Amino acid sequence: MHIAQNILDKVHQWLSPAFDEITQQEIKELMTSSPKELEDAFYKNLEFGTGGMRGIMGVGTNRINKYTLGKNTQGLSDYLKKSFPGEQLRVAIAYDCRHNSNTLAKVVADVFSANGIQVFLFSDLRPTPELSFAVKYLNCHTGVVLTASHNPPEYNGYKVYWQDGGQIVPPQDKEIIEEIEKLAYEDINFQANENLIQYIDKEIDDAFAASALENAGFNIPVSAKENLKIVFTSLHGTSIKAIPNVLDKAGYTKVQIVKEQALPDGNFPTVKSPNPEEPEALAMALALADETGADIVIGTDPDADRLGIAVRDNEDKMVLLNGNQTMIVMTAFLLEQWKRAGKITGKEFIGSTIVSTPMMLALGEYYGVECKVGLTGFKWIAKMIKDFPEKTFIGGGEESFGYMVGDAVRDKDAVASTLLICEIAALAKAAGSSIYQELQNLYADFGYYKEHLISITKKGMEGATEIKQMMTNFRENPVKELNGERVVFVEDYQSSKAKNMFSGEEEPLYLPKSDVLIYYLEDGSKICARPSGTEPKIKFYFSCNAPIEHTDEIEDTDAYLTEKIKHFITDLGLN
């Protein structure tokens, strides 16, 4: 096959003495055995997306390896020195269960220390939210976690956090990228100063657990906690290091762990995907729950920032909640607790994203609490906390199974969220109710909201081009009608404009630019299209709702809205 000259130039650069012999040998093997793979490994540089930088591990500029991460770290070191002149810089580093995470974390630590930066490196794998917590707890200037979240086993990643414990956001992300792009690979200083690398573990673990108990624990009767039967799975990930300990400290005695999935393993051998968004990932936990009569199933992704939940329905069968439903149950509970404690003063807020359920807005309005809505990704919710220090953050989430309680951690946090959902479940069970019934009651109060997600995978260079063309087509040929419902407004976050499709008038959008399109229909439905920032996918989010007066209406309303979404999908040509 023909490979473009600009790609070959990069390949030959990686065959220079600046790269070790193993790297050069792997490239030579690709040149003869797999030119297509070689092209994909070098056709672009890995970029920071919604959740940092993620990619397949291997040689090349479009891969996760010691050189791409070393260059990131050298550029970040240079940026820190410019941002904090004269200060003794401090950085915290964590890593998850993925292949090479521990060795890559040490490479990152080496580069930071070689640049005179004090490094606090976790001695073993830890949850991503614990890294966010550690950045603030240790008064660090920045933090890095090596993880690819729920991506397949061949992936790894690199997420950067700032002083507040939140991920980097504009303008810092672009400024850091500019520093990285100034560098040649020869500029990376890999010569570690071991005196500047300090290993951390128990002190941070204990403080992190105490923080979860403080933020997500409520005065639930001991008897209620002891009566709740919990099945928990870490899906071979890092949450095994934190969640059983936190539940034990909180007083939950009936916790069963899925033993086959308890050992951290980057191959994720018992699941097709270690993603609690996928029903199959919780199959073993659901089987154990049915065997033991458990009330609730909780599963987390490899770096323990997302959680999936299953609860018993009115027929005593285990059903999976989606991320929007979990977020609604948690937020409603927090708001009610704050209201009962007399803590709602008008200076509080909850957080959500533009692709999550609009029901969050209805909840906020009812309790007199502002619901701030940001772009996809928890870094934007963390930014809200930083941007509005005069306001108190209660909690917030996004549809992709992430939630954050309070502001001690500035990223989605499956550890505190697991405790929170157990508190809700224990209290509901003690009152003769359940999480499922509580959710139904919320629908009766606020209307029934139905959400659906379609993800279309397009891998490699051709896939990236296809996704880009799909978004171009939607912009150049805007949808005017779906299922007989006219499009009223179109929000284009790339152009930062919202257009009234009836009058043609345009208004500015005040969120940062992003490759996102949202259609609002005259019946209140909402459809969003966006390329994923972490995977080779384009995603379509559907949300519609209808008023109901009683929980008896839920089944028929769900069927009606499900059919409506099917027609939306057909009209968009996504079948």
Side-chain angles (χ1 to χ4, degrees), residues 440-463:
Q440 288 190 311
N441 292 338
L442 288 169
Y443 285 145
D445 290 339
F446 296 98
Y448 187 74
Y449 286 74
K450 175 83 175 179
E451 275 81 29
H452 184 69
L453 170 67
I454 289 181
S455 294
I456 301 172
T457 300
K458 301 281 186 180
K459 294 184 178 180
M461 185 165 65
E462 292 87 353

PDB file of all heavy atoms in Angstrom, residues 440-463:
ATOM      1  N   GLN A 440     -39.747   5.927  40.336  1.00  0.00           N
ATOM      2  CA  GLN A 440     -41.099   6.032  39.782  1.00  0.00           C
ATOM      3  C   GLN A 440     -41.861   7.220  40.379  1.00  0.00           C
ATOM      4  O   GLN A 440     -42.572   7.939  39.663  1.00  0.00           O
ATOM      5  CB  GLN A 440     -41.868   4.737  40.035  1.00  0.00           C
ATOM      6  CG  GLN A 440     -41.401   3.568  39.180  1.00  0.00           C
ATOM      7  CD  GLN A 440     -42.338   2.395  39.288  1.00  0.00           C
ATOM      8  OE1 GLN A 440     -42.708   1.976  40.388  1.00  0.00           O
ATOM      9  NE2 GLN A 440     -42.747   1.847  38.160  1.00  0.00           N
ATOM     10  N   ASN A 441     -41.695   7.422  41.670  1.00  0.00           N
ATOM     11  CA  ASN A 441     -42.352   8.559  42.318  1.00  0.00           C
ATOM     12  C   ASN A 441     -41.847   9.884  41.757  1.00  0.00           C
ATOM     13  O   ASN A 441     -42.629  10.841  41.588  1.00  0.00           O
ATOM     14  CB  ASN A 441     -42.115   8.519  43.835  1.00  0.00           C
ATOM     15  CG  ASN A 441     -42.830   7.353  44.500  1.00  0.00           C
ATOM     16  OD1 ASN A 441     -43.805   6.821  43.959  1.00  0.00           O
ATOM     17  ND2 ASN A 441     -42.346   6.937  45.652  1.00  0.00           N
ATOM     18  N   LEU A 442     -40.558   9.948  41.451  1.00  0.00           N
ATOM     19  CA  LEU A 442     -39.996  11.170  40.858  1.00  0.00           C
ATOM     20  C   LEU A 442     -40.595  11.427  39.477  1.00  0.00           C
ATOM     21  O   LEU A 442     -40.884  12.575  39.109  1.00  0.00           O
ATOM     22  CB  LEU A 442     -38.468  11.056  40.768  1.00  0.00           C
ATOM     23  CG  LEU A 442     -37.713  11.149  42.105  1.00  0.00           C
ATOM     24  CD1 LEU A 442     -36.254  10.747  41.921  1.00  0.00           C
ATOM     25  CD2 LEU A 442     -37.801  12.567  42.662  1.00  0.00           C
ATOM     26  N   TYR A 443     -40.790  10.347  38.714  1.00  0.00           N
ATOM     27  CA  TYR A 443     -41.418  10.505  37.393  1.00  0.00           C
ATOM     28  C   TYR A 443     -42.853  11.023  37.533  1.00  0.00           C
ATOM     29  O   TYR A 443     -43.310  11.861  36.739  1.00  0.00           O
ATOM     30  CB  TYR A 443     -41.424   9.169  36.643  1.00  0.00           C
ATOM     31  CG  TYR A 443     -40.087   8.757  36.084  1.00  0.00           C
ATOM     32  CD1 TYR A 443     -39.711   7.417  36.050  1.00  0.00           C
ATOM     33  CD2 TYR A 443     -39.201   9.691  35.558  1.00  0.00           C
ATOM     34  CE1 TYR A 443     -38.491   7.019  35.514  1.00  0.00           C
ATOM     35  CE2 TYR A 443     -37.974   9.304  35.026  1.00  0.00           C
ATOM     36  CZ  TYR A 443     -37.635   7.960  35.011  1.00  0.00           C
ATOM     37  OH  TYR A 443     -36.430   7.574  34.483  1.00  0.00           O
ATOM     38  N   ALA A 444     -43.561  10.520  38.530  1.00  0.00           N
ATOM     39  CA  ALA A 444     -44.937  10.982  38.748  1.00  0.00           C
ATOM     40  C   ALA A 444     -44.962  12.464  39.122  1.00  0.00           C
ATOM     41  O   ALA A 444     -45.880  13.201  38.747  1.00  0.00           O
ATOM     42  CB  ALA A 444     -45.606  10.150  39.835  1.00  0.00           C
ATOM     43  N   ASP A 445     -43.944  12.903  39.840  1.00  0.00           N
ATOM     44  CA  ASP A 445     -43.876  14.304  40.278  1.00  0.00           C
ATOM     45  C   ASP A 445     -43.409  15.253  39.177  1.00  0.00           C
ATOM     46  O   ASP A 445     -43.895  16.389  39.081  1.00  0.00           O
ATOM     47  CB  ASP A 445     -42.933  14.433  41.476  1.00  0.00           C
ATOM     48  CG  ASP A 445     -43.494  13.797  42.743  1.00  0.00           C
ATOM     49  OD1 ASP A 445     -44.720  13.619  42.818  1.00  0.00           O
ATOM     50  OD2 ASP A 445     -42.693  13.476  43.641  1.00  0.00           O
ATOM     51  N   PHE A 446     -42.456  14.800  38.348  1.00  0.00           N
ATOM     52  CA  PHE A 446     -41.787  15.719  37.409  1.00  0.00           C
ATOM     53  C   PHE A 446     -42.017  15.386  35.936  1.00  0.00           C
ATOM     54  O   PHE A 446     -41.553  16.118  35.066  1.00  0.00           O
ATOM     55  CB  PHE A 446     -40.275  15.735  37.681  1.00  0.00           C
ATOM     56  CG  PHE A 446     -39.925  16.281  39.035  1.00  0.00           C
ATOM     57  CD1 PHE A 446     -39.662  15.436  40.097  1.00  0.00           C
ATOM     58  CD2 PHE A 446     -39.880  17.652  39.254  1.00  0.00           C
ATOM     59  CE1 PHE A 446     -39.351  15.929  41.356  1.00  0.00           C
ATOM     60  CE2 PHE A 446     -39.562  18.161  40.507  1.00  0.00           C
ATOM     61  CZ  PHE A 446     -39.301  17.305  41.558  1.00  0.00           C
ATOM     62  N   GLY A 447     -42.732  14.294  35.663  1.00  0.00           N
ATOM     63  CA  GLY A 447     -42.911  13.869  34.277  1.00  0.00           C
ATOM     64  C   GLY A 447     -41.962  12.729  33.958  1.00  0.00           C
ATOM     65  O   GLY A 447     -40.919  12.560  34.596  1.00  0.00           O
ATOM     66  N   TYR A 448     -42.354  11.920  32.965  1.00  0.00           N
ATOM     67  CA  TYR A 448     -41.544  10.764  32.591  1.00  0.00           C
ATOM     68  C   TYR A 448     -40.542  11.169  31.511  1.00  0.00           C
ATOM     69  O   TYR A 448     -40.909  11.659  30.447  1.00  0.00           O
ATOM     70  CB  TYR A 448     -42.419   9.624  32.090  1.00  0.00           C
ATOM     71  CG  TYR A 448     -41.638   8.354  31.856  1.00  0.00           C
ATOM     72  CD1 TYR A 448     -41.200   7.596  32.934  1.00  0.00           C
ATOM     73  CD2 TYR A 448     -41.318   7.937  30.574  1.00  0.00           C
ATOM     74  CE1 TYR A 448     -40.470   6.445  32.735  1.00  0.00           C
ATOM     75  CE2 TYR A 448     -40.595   6.776  30.367  1.00  0.00           C
ATOM     76  CZ  TYR A 448     -40.158   6.035  31.454  1.00  0.00           C
ATOM     77  OH  TYR A 448     -39.422   4.897  31.262  1.00  0.00           O
ATOM     78  N   TYR A 449     -39.269  10.954  31.798  1.00  0.00           N
ATOM     79  CA  TYR A 449     -38.193  11.286  30.867  1.00  0.00           C
ATOM     80  C   TYR A 449     -37.556  10.000  30.347  1.00  0.00           C
ATOM     81  O   TYR A 449     -37.210   9.106  31.121  1.00  0.00           O
ATOM     82  CB  TYR A 449     -37.124  12.146  31.553  1.00  0.00           C
ATOM     83  CG  TYR A 449     -37.548  13.578  31.785  1.00  0.00           C
ATOM     84  CD1 TYR A 449     -38.461  13.891  32.787  1.00  0.00           C
ATOM     85  CD2 TYR A 449     -37.050  14.617  31.005  1.00  0.00           C
ATOM     86  CE1 TYR A 449     -38.861  15.198  33.010  1.00  0.00           C
ATOM     87  CE2 TYR A 449     -37.440  15.930  31.218  1.00  0.00           C
ATOM     88  CZ  TYR A 449     -38.351  16.209  32.218  1.00  0.00           C
ATOM     89  OH  TYR A 449     -38.744  17.513  32.432  1.00  0.00           O
ATOM     90  N   LYS A 450     -37.415   9.927  29.042  1.00  0.00           N
ATOM     91  CA  LYS A 450     -36.843   8.739  28.395  1.00  0.00           C
ATOM     92  C   LYS A 450     -35.626   9.157  27.585  1.00  0.00           C
ATOM     93  O   LYS A 450     -35.706  10.052  26.734  1.00  0.00           O
ATOM     94  CB  LYS A 450     -37.888   8.097  27.475  1.00  0.00           C
ATOM     95  CG  LYS A 450     -37.378   6.933  26.649  1.00  0.00           C
ATOM     96  CD  LYS A 450     -37.387   5.652  27.445  1.00  0.00           C
ATOM     97  CE  LYS A 450     -37.000   4.459  26.600  1.00  0.00           C
ATOM     98  NZ  LYS A 450     -36.992   3.200  27.384  1.00  0.00           N
ATOM     99  N   GLU A 451     -34.489   8.517  27.868  1.00  0.00           N
ATOM    100  CA  GLU A 451     -33.268   8.809  27.127  1.00  0.00           C
ATOM    101  C   GLU A 451     -32.737   7.560  26.431  1.00  0.00           C
ATOM    102  O   GLU A 451     -32.967   6.436  26.896  1.00  0.00           O
ATOM    103  CB  GLU A 451     -32.180   9.363  28.067  1.00  0.00           C
ATOM    104  CG  GLU A 451     -32.266  10.857  28.316  1.00  0.00           C
ATOM    105  CD  GLU A 451     -33.296  11.236  29.356  1.00  0.00           C
ATOM    106  OE1 GLU A 451     -33.556  10.422  30.270  1.00  0.00           O
ATOM    107  OE2 GLU A 451     -33.871  12.347  29.262  1.00  0.00           O
ATOM    108  N   HIS A 452     -32.030   7.795  25.329  1.00  0.00           N
ATOM    109  CA  HIS A 452     -31.461   6.678  24.566  1.00  0.00           C
ATOM    110  C   HIS A 452     -30.179   7.159  23.891  1.00  0.00           C
ATOM    111  O   HIS A 452     -30.076   8.308  23.464  1.00  0.00           O
ATOM    112  CB  HIS A 452     -32.462   6.199  23.506  1.00  0.00           C
ATOM    113  CG  HIS A 452     -31.992   4.997  22.730  1.00  0.00           C
ATOM    114  ND1 HIS A 452     -31.880   3.748  23.304  1.00  0.00           N
ATOM    115  CD2 HIS A 452     -31.589   4.858  21.439  1.00  0.00           C
ATOM    116  CE1 HIS A 452     -31.452   2.890  22.395  1.00  0.00           C
ATOM    117  NE2 HIS A 452     -31.262   3.540  21.254  1.00  0.00           N
ATOM    118  N   LEU A 453     -29.203   6.257  23.815  1.00  0.00           N
ATOM    119  CA  LEU A 453     -27.905   6.582  23.210  1.00  0.00           C
ATOM    120  C   LEU A 453     -27.580   5.591  22.110  1.00  0.00           C
ATOM    121  O   LEU A 453     -27.752   4.377  22.277  1.00  0.00           O
ATOM    122  CB  LEU A 453     -26.805   6.536  24.288  1.00  0.00           C
ATOM    123  CG  LEU A 453     -25.352   6.610  23.805  1.00  0.00           C
ATOM    124  CD1 LEU A 453     -25.045   7.974  23.188  1.00  0.00           C
ATOM    125  CD2 LEU A 453     -24.388   6.309  24.953  1.00  0.00           C
ATOM    126  N   ILE A 454     -27.110   6.121  20.982  1.00  0.00           N
ATOM    127  CA  ILE A 454     -26.568   5.286  19.910  1.00  0.00           C
ATOM    128  C   ILE A 454     -25.116   5.689  19.698  1.00  0.00           C
ATOM    129  O   ILE A 454     -24.812   6.878  19.524  1.00  0.00           O
ATOM    130  CB  ILE A 454     -27.351   5.452  18.596  1.00  0.00           C
ATOM    131  CG1 ILE A 454     -28.733   4.813  18.710  1.00  0.00           C
ATOM    132  CG2 ILE A 454     -26.589   4.841  17.429  1.00  0.00           C
ATOM    133  CD1 ILE A 454     -29.547   4.916  17.436  1.00  0.00           C
ATOM    134  N   SER A 455     -24.205   4.708  19.717  1.00  0.00           N
ATOM    135  CA  SER A 455     -22.792   4.953  19.434  1.00  0.00           C
ATOM    136  C   SER A 455     -22.415   4.203  18.170  1.00  0.00           C
ATOM    137  O   SER A 455     -22.663   2.999  18.062  1.00  0.00           O
ATOM    138  CB  SER A 455     -21.914   4.480  20.595  1.00  0.00           C
ATOM    139  OG  SER A 455     -22.132   5.244  21.747  1.00  0.00           O
ATOM    140  N   ILE A 456     -21.808   4.902  17.229  1.00  0.00           N
ATOM    141  CA  ILE A 456     -21.362   4.287  15.974  1.00  0.00           C
ATOM    142  C   ILE A 456     -19.843   4.338  15.951  1.00  0.00           C
ATOM    143  O   ILE A 456     -19.243   5.421  16.014  1.00  0.00           O
ATOM    144  CB  ILE A 456     -21.948   5.016  14.758  1.00  0.00           C
ATOM    145  CG1 ILE A 456     -23.482   4.975  14.812  1.00  0.00           C
ATOM    146  CG2 ILE A 456     -21.435   4.409  13.460  1.00  0.00           C
ATOM    147  CD1 ILE A 456     -24.164   5.835  13.754  1.00  0.00           C
ATOM    148  N   THR A 457     -19.209   3.171  15.874  1.00  0.00           N
ATOM    149  CA  THR A 457     -17.756   3.084  15.903  1.00  0.00           C
ATOM    150  C   THR A 457     -17.180   3.198  14.495  1.00  0.00           C
ATOM    151  O   THR A 457     -17.643   2.523  13.574  1.00  0.00           O
ATOM    152  CB  THR A 457     -17.308   1.763  16.544  1.00  0.00           C
ATOM    153  OG1 THR A 457     -17.817   1.704  17.887  1.00  0.00           O
ATOM    154  CG2 THR A 457     -15.791   1.653  16.588  1.00  0.00           C
ATOM    155  N   LYS A 458     -16.170   4.052  14.335  1.00  0.00           N
ATOM    156  CA  LYS A 458     -15.467   4.234  13.061  1.00  0.00           C
ATOM    157  C   LYS A 458     -13.973   4.314  13.370  1.00  0.00           C
ATOM    158  O   LYS A 458     -13.466   5.357  13.774  1.00  0.00           O
ATOM    159  CB  LYS A 458     -15.918   5.526  12.357  1.00  0.00           C
ATOM    160  CG  LYS A 458     -17.401   5.610  12.045  1.00  0.00           C
ATOM    161  CD  LYS A 458     -17.762   4.804  10.816  1.00  0.00           C
ATOM    162  CE  LYS A 458     -19.221   5.000  10.420  1.00  0.00           C
ATOM    163  NZ  LYS A 458     -19.577   4.214   9.204  1.00  0.00           N
ATOM    164  N   LYS A 459     -13.262   3.224  13.198  1.00  0.00           N
ATOM    165  CA  LYS A 459     -11.870   3.161  13.624  1.00  0.00           C
ATOM    166  C   LYS A 459     -10.906   3.677  12.563  1.00  0.00           C
ATOM    167  O   LYS A 459     -11.198   3.685  11.377  1.00  0.00           O
ATOM    168  CB  LYS A 459     -11.502   1.719  13.992  1.00  0.00           C
ATOM    169  CG  LYS A 459     -12.229   1.180  15.207  1.00  0.00           C
ATOM    170  CD  LYS A 459     -11.742  -0.207  15.579  1.00  0.00           C
ATOM    171  CE  LYS A 459     -12.447  -0.715  16.842  1.00  0.00           C
ATOM    172  NZ  LYS A 459     -11.974  -2.073  17.222  1.00  0.00           N
ATOM    173  N   GLY A 460      -9.718   4.088  13.051  1.00  0.00           N
ATOM    174  CA  GLY A 460      -8.617   4.430  12.166  1.00  0.00           C
ATOM    175  C   GLY A 460      -8.773   5.760  11.456  1.00  0.00           C
ATOM    176  O   GLY A 460      -9.682   6.550  11.719  1.00  0.00           O
ATOM    177  N   MET A 461      -7.864   5.990  10.497  1.00  0.00           N
ATOM    178  CA  MET A 461      -7.831   7.248   9.772  1.00  0.00           C
ATOM    179  C   MET A 461      -9.096   7.431   8.939  1.00  0.00           C
ATOM    180  O   MET A 461      -9.674   8.510   8.899  1.00  0.00           O
ATOM    181  CB  MET A 461      -6.584   7.283   8.869  1.00  0.00           C
ATOM    182  CG  MET A 461      -6.374   8.605   8.139  1.00  0.00           C
ATOM    183  SD  MET A 461      -4.703   8.775   7.447  1.00  0.00           S
ATOM    184  CE  MET A 461      -4.716   7.459   6.233  1.00  0.00           C
ATOM    185  N   GLU A 462      -9.541   6.346   8.274  1.00  0.00           N
ATOM    186  CA  GLU A 462     -10.752   6.457   7.462  1.00  0.00           C
ATOM    187  C   GLU A 462     -11.972   6.725   8.332  1.00  0.00           C
ATOM    188  O   GLU A 462     -12.860   7.506   7.975  1.00  0.00           O
ATOM    189  CB  GLU A 462     -10.974   5.172   6.656  1.00  0.00           C
ATOM    190  CG  GLU A 462      -9.953   4.922   5.566  1.00  0.00           C
ATOM    191  CD  GLU A 462      -8.729   4.179   6.095  1.00  0.00           C
ATOM    192  OE1 GLU A 462      -8.639   3.987   7.337  1.00  0.00           O
ATOM    193  OE2 GLU A 462      -7.872   3.818   5.282  1.00  0.00           O
ATOM    194  N   GLY A 463     -12.006   6.073   9.510  1.00  0.00           N
ATOM    195  CA  GLY A 463     -13.116   6.280  10.421  1.00  0.00           C
ATOM    196  C   GLY A 463     -13.212   7.704  10.910  1.00  0.00           C
ATOM    197  O   GLY A 463     -14.309   8.278  10.999  1.00  0.00           O
TER     198      GLY A 463
END
